[in-house]
Amino acid sequence: MKRRGMLNSHISKILADLGHTDQIVIADAGLPVPAGVPKIDLALRPGLPAFRDVVSELLQEMVVERVTLANEIEGNQKVHDWLKQELQETERNYVDHEAFKEQTRQAKVVIRTGETTPYANCILHSGVIF
């Protein structure tokens, strides 16, 4: 058994396989997952696990070069402010929600949380350690 870090074996495998610019989507409970894109469903009940918890753990495990958010996240001020704080050194790209959903087709995986606040979704673009 791993001593620390990501215990979810499916997420650990995805993280280990990431290359530069690969994308991981962290999604609220309602974001549609495009056909053909693998989904890791962590949702247990509304709010569990929270979007913040999942993003926080991923930020401990991966190099994030850029994050893509839907413009509409500005209506979810708590989550938006939290993301800006957590990713203050990271380039942020904003697109409309329909374009965001279209971009999820390029993801290596969509990780579904139990989050039930609006537009609590992001696309993390993998960076490199060098």
Side-chain angles (χ1 to χ4, degrees):
M1 178 172 196
K2 286 181 70 174
R3 184 178 299 272
R4 62 182 65 89
M6 183 63 64
L7 295 179
N8 184 293
S9 61
H10 302 292
I11 296 173
S12 288
K13 171 80 170 113
I14 292 291
L15 291 170
D17 289 343
L18 285 177
H20 188 219
T21 73
D22 283 343
Q23 300 172 38
I24 293 179
V25 176
I26 314 306
D28 61 27
L31 188 74
V33 178
V37 176
K39 174 176 71 174
I40 299 173
D41 195 340
L42 302 178
L44 298 173
R45 62 177 170 81
L48 190 63
F51 173 79
R52 290 181 190 196
D53 293 334
V54 175
V55 172
S56 290
E57 288 304 313
L58 284 167
L59 293 178
Q60 296 298 312
E61 298 281 328
M62 72 179 283
V63 177
V64 177
E65 176 175 278
R66 180 167 50 103
V67 62
T68 299
L69 305 165
N71 291 321
E72 291 83 351
I73 197 170
E74 292 177 355
N76 187 343
Q77 200 62 49
K78 274 180 109 170
V79 170
H80 190 221
D81 288 346
W82 179 82
L83 277 170
K84 288 190 294 188
Q85 177 64 35
E86 290 297 306
L87 296 163
Q88 59 185 311
E89 303 294 322
T90 306
E91 177 187 344
R92 288 188 302 273
N93 179 47
Y94 292 87
V95 297
D96 69 61
H97 191 60
E98 289 305 313
F100 182 94
K101 290 191 290 188
E102 186 63 33
Q103 191 169 341
T104 64
R105 295 182 184 284
Q106 308 306 314
K108 290 279 189 184
V109 69
V110 173
I111 300 173
R112 181 176 178 249
T113 70
E115 187 68 43
T116 56
T117 63
Y119 304 106
N121 306 293
C122 68
I123 301 173
L124 302 177
H125 301 258
S126 180
V128 294
I129 59 173
F130 54 89

